[in-house]
Amino acid sequence: MFSLKSKLSEKGLKITPQRLSILDAIYNINHPTADDIIKHIRQKHSNIAIGTVYKVLETFVQKGLIKRITTEKDVIRYDGLLRHHHHLYSTDTVLIKDYIDEELDKILVGYFKKKQIHGFEIEELTLQIKGKFNN
Amino acid sequence: MFSLKSKLSEKGLKITPQRLSILDAIYNINHPTADDIIKHIRQKHSNIAIGTVYKVLETFVQKGLIKRITTEKDVIRYDGLLRHHHHLYSTDTVLIKDYIDEELDKILVGYFKKKQIHGFEIEELTLQIKGKFNN
DNA sequence: TCCTAAATGAGAATAATTCTTATCAAAGAT
DNA sequence: ATCTTTGATAAGAATTATTCTCATTTAGGA
């Protein structure tokens, strides 16, 4: 089962219309902000409280259903792609794209297996690839 | 000349006490927020307007004197280290440390010289290394 | 020293996020 | 199917971060 409902229940979360529509929004918007999600939900039909969206997003992050994306801005973006991946950041727009590259992952993991960082235990390696999208 | 004043004048910026103390703060605080900088300046002696700090920071970023750091939080942090480097992020605290590794840089550049990303022109590669600092 | 464009201060305005509390609803127990 | 309880949501206030506005000041070249 890959339904939205099963994703919630797998994490021991109650299934509510709000949570389902937030999860749906995350899967249908590219790295959305909380505001993107609110607008997306309100567009179609239902209303939702702003505080609920923030609270649910935090819950999802805690439960590992989604991740926060790092940006240089003062607004938090979320990512529903759980498979390990990197990000392409546009240097002139806000566009961010997922970048999956297992070969790169192997190289990075291999490199840091040999080369320890003194006083630091690595848990995750994410490459930020900044540049320009051609069209 | 590596004085703070020369850093400003090299970029064609007027030398003001506010700019000097902001630059000084950036070099003396580890990846500060605007608020960290304000507190640092007010601690010692001089007062400074909050708006001025934000404005000057933006100017510095535009001129390439400092950089914004990417984080998962909704607060912007700055970095005065201009040499290309990566970052170590603590997964349980807000600590961020610079990580310089030219060997890694060569591997990454070499990798993406061979492996193009379709529709994307790379300008900068920054690795986010998340994990735990041992004390 | 004077002049002018640029910088700053002060506070209002905006934006993003969190908090509070009353009401509501999911889902397990009956 | 209904009840009950615990957790979820709505609404709006509060907080925090950042930006904007505009009057005043100042750096630095003329």
Side-chain angles (χ1 to χ4, degrees), chain A residues 48-111:
Chain A
I48 191 165
I50 293 171
T52 301
V53 173
Y54 280 100
K55 198 156 192 315
V56 167
L57 287 170
E58 180 56 25
T59 303
F60 285 179
V61 169
Q62 296 307 325
K63 292 290 182 175
L65 262 178
I66 63 174
K67 288 184 152 194
R68 288 182 166 206
I69 290 193
T70 63
T71 73
E72 294 177 358
K73 300 294 173 54
D74 66 327
V75 54
I76 301 169
R77 291 184 176 273
Y78 297 88
D79 195 339
L81 180 61
L82 291 181
R83 181 177 173 192
H84 186 261
H85 66 282
H86 310 276
H87 288 118
L88 306 178
Y89 291 78
S90 170
T91 44
D92 25 51
T93 72
V94 295
L95 185 58
I96 301 169
K97 278 197 173 182
D98 292 324
Y99 177 70
I100 295 177
D101 187 336
E102 291 185 357
E103 188 186 352
L104 174 63
D105 293 342
K106 276 181 197 148
I107 290 170
L108 289 173
V109 170
Y111 180 77

Side-chain angles (χ1 to χ4, degrees), chain B residues 50-72:
Chain B
I50 293 171
T52 300
V53 173
Y54 281 100
K55 196 155 195 317
V56 168
L57 286 170
E58 181 57 25
T59 302
F60 285 179
V61 169
Q62 295 308 324
K63 293 286 182 177
L65 262 178
I66 62 174
K67 289 184 151 194
R68 287 182 167 208
I69 290 192
T70 63
T71 74
E72 294 177 0

Side-chain angles (χ1 to χ4, degrees), chain B residues 12-98:
Chain B
L13 295 172
K14 283 188 184 173
I15 295 164
T16 68
Q18 291 83 353
R19 285 177 172 172
L20 289 171
S21 52
I22 290 169
L23 205 47
D24 170 78
I26 291 166
Y27 292 138
N28 285 290
I29 312 175
N30 181 49
H31 304 115
T33 64
D35 193 56
D36 291 336
I37 292 167
I38 293 162
K39 288 204 176 84
H40 185 264
I41 292 171
R42 290 185 174 169
Q43 250 173 22
K44 21 187 73 173
H45 36 76
S46 36
N47 193 16
I48 192 165
I50 293 171
T52 300
V53 173
Y54 281 100
K55 196 155 195 317
V56 168
L57 286 170
E58 181 57 25
T59 302
F60 285 179
V61 169
Q62 295 308 324
K63 293 286 182 177
L65 262 178
I66 62 174
K67 289 184 151 194
R68 287 182 167 208
I69 290 192
T70 63
T71 74
E72 294 177 0
K73 302 293 173 54
D74 66 327
V75 54
I76 301 169
R77 290 184 176 273
Y78 298 87
D79 194 339
L81 181 60
L82 291 180
R83 182 177 171 191
H84 186 260
H85 65 283
H86 309 277
H87 288 118
L88 307 178
Y89 291 78
S90 170
T91 44
D92 25 52
T93 72
V94 296
L95 185 56
I96 300 170
K97 277 198 174 181
D98 292 323

Side-chain angles (χ1 to χ4, degrees), chain A residues 68 70-72 91 99 101 103-104 107 111 115 119-121 123-124 126 128 130-134, chain B residues 68 70-72 91 101 103-104 107 111 115 119-121 123-124 126 128 130-134:
Chain A
R68 288 182 166 206
T70 63
T71 73
E72 294 177 358
T91 44
Y99 177 70
D101 187 336
E103 188 186 352
L104 174 63
I107 290 170
Y111 180 77
K115 183 158 195 165
F120 190 81
E121 189 189 342
E123 290 172 359
E124 194 182 4
T126 311
Q128 296 183 200
K130 292 174 198 160
K132 288 197 170 44
F133 289 96
N134 309 321
Chain B
R68 287 182 167 208
T70 63
T71 74
E72 294 177 0
T91 44
D101 187 336
E103 188 185 351
L104 174 62
I107 289 170
Y111 180 76
K115 183 159 195 163
F120 191 81
E121 189 189 343
E123 290 173 358
E124 194 182 4
T126 311
Q128 297 183 200
K130 293 174 198 161
K132 286 197 171 44
F133 289 95
N134 309 319

Side-chain angles (χ1 to χ4, degrees), chain A residues 37-55:
Chain A
I37 292 167
I38 292 163
K39 288 203 176 85
H40 185 265
I41 292 171
R42 290 186 174 169
Q43 251 173 21
K44 19 186 75 173
H45 37 76
S46 37
N47 191 17
I48 191 165
I50 293 171
T52 301
V53 173
Y54 280 100
K55 198 156 192 315

Side-chain angles (χ1 to χ4, degrees), chain A residues 22-36:
Chain A
I22 290 169
L23 206 47
D24 170 77
I26 291 166
Y27 292 138
N28 285 289
I29 312 175
N30 181 49
H31 304 115
T33 64
D35 193 55
D36 292 335

